[in-house]
């Protein structure tokens, strides 16, 4: 031994000499080879091995996972355990590829386990692109209906029950197509019925029928509890009458072009005269009596034409454009009326005795203007003396 390169190697009083030009001392143990790295009591070349917690692993510049060296390009260290595969995620002591698997909590042991998929469902992995977690169970589909998965493009979920067909409406637990059916409620609950509208729990199509007082009936309008078509019939007080655009007379319908309703009775004509109908172009109504001849005047309950007769308080007299004096008619050209008496008209102004009461009238231009009492005697010039004149205007 060349004493120029001698050194002590040991501890706790147990020392020995070694040649450091040929040997390396590692933790009290002499190893062959000068100027080596120590890994515990072992010496090594750093370009051949990696030391991890006193343990050598063949390889240069490796990373340590507990006492094992590994290459990060090839493996992943998870909780002091090396898993083959770079850039993996850790699940407990196992590394996994997050593109293919997921770390889930085992529902029985509560341990972390690697499962195939990208989502967890109570410890079970699944791929969310084709499955779904429904109340702790993995099921095929994209959406849950209770604990069952389904695809909304193919089916509809109604209160936990699946019905085949997309975009349906729900009626209780049953799905239905609103273009063909309707959901109606009756004493037993809700039920799908054929139609687009409900009537007392029964479905019907509103283009064909109508709901009348809880009953489905053919037609588009109601007449009481019966349906009818407005373009074909007429409803009168709850009774359907055949014929369109008619008018009602009680429960009966009639054509207003031919008939008229007179106090609840249908009669021929276009006007009413009491209970009877008549044509105004052919008859005249006078005090509820129909008279032959249209567009005449009435004199009481009798019709007449004023171009040929005159009516005086219900009495018809022959002659047109006459005047009345009580019940009688007179010609104003030749006569005048005074106190319901017809008197001849005088053109001269002169007194005229006309009754037994010694009264005289002074006429002026055919009209009585003054009244006189006869005096005890006439004056010498032949005229009566005037007393208490009464002026008639």
């Amino acid at each position: 031994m060349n004493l120029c390169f001698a050194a002590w190697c040991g501890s706790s009083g147990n020392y020995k000499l070694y040649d450091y030009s040929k040997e390396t001392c590692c933790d009290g143990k002499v190893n062959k080879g000068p100027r080596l790295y120590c890994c515990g009591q072992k010496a090594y070349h750093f370009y051949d091995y990696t030391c991890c917690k006193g343990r050598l692993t063949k390889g240069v510049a490796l990373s340590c996972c507990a006492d094992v060296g590994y290459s990060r390009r090839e493996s992943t260290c998870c909780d002091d355990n090396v898993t083959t595969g770079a850039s993996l995620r850790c699940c407990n002591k196992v590394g996994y590829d997050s593109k293919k698997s997921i770390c889930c909590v085992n529902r029985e042991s509560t341990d972390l386990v690697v499962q195939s998929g990208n989502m967890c469902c109570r410890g079970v992995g699944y791929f969310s692109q084709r499955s779904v977690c429904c109340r702790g169970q993995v099921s095929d589909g994209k959406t849950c209906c209770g604990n069952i998965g389904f695809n909304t493009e193919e089916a509809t979920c109604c209160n936990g029950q699946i019905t085949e067909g997309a975009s349906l409406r729900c009626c209780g637990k049953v799905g239905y197509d609103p273009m063909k059916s309707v959901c109606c409620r009756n004493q037993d609950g809700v039920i799908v019925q054929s139609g687009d509208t409900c009537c007392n729990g029964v479905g019907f199509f509103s283009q064909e029928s109508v709901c009348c007082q809880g009953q489905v009936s053919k037609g588009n309008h109601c007449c009481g509890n019966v349906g009818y078509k407005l373009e074909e019939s007429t409803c009168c007080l709850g009774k359907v009458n055949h014929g369109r655009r008619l008018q009602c007379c009680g429960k009966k319908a009639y054509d207003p072009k031919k008939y008229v309703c007179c106090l609840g009775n249908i009669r021929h004509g276009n006007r009413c005269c009491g209970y009877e109908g008549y044509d105004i172009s052919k008859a005249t109504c006078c005090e509820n009596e129909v008279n032959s001849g249209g567009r005449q005047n009435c004199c009481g309950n009798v019709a007449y034409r004023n171009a040929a007769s005159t009516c005086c308080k219900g009495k018809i007299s022959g002659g047109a454009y006459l005047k009345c004096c009580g019940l009688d008619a007179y010609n104003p050209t030749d006569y005048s009326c005074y106190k319901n008496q017809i008197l001849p008209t005088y053109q001269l102004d002169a007194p005229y005795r006309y009754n037994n009461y010694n009264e005289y009238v002074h006429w002026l231009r055919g009209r009585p203007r003054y009244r006189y009492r006869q005096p005890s005697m006439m004056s010498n010039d032949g005229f009566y003396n005037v007393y208490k004149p009464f002026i008639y205007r």
Side-chain angles (χ1 to χ4, degrees), residues 350-351 360 375 377-385:
Y360 291 81
M377 60 172 40
M378 188 180 297
S379 62
N380 293 328
D381 57 5
F383 288 92
Y384 297 105
N385 294 323

Side-chain angles (χ1 to χ4, degrees), residues 334-349:
D334 301 322
Y335 297 90
S336 294
C337 179
Y338 180 72
K339 286 190 175 182
N340 291 331
Q341 292 191 24
I342 299 174
L343 303 175
T345 301
Y346 290 88
Q347 298 300 322
L348 299 176
D349 291 339

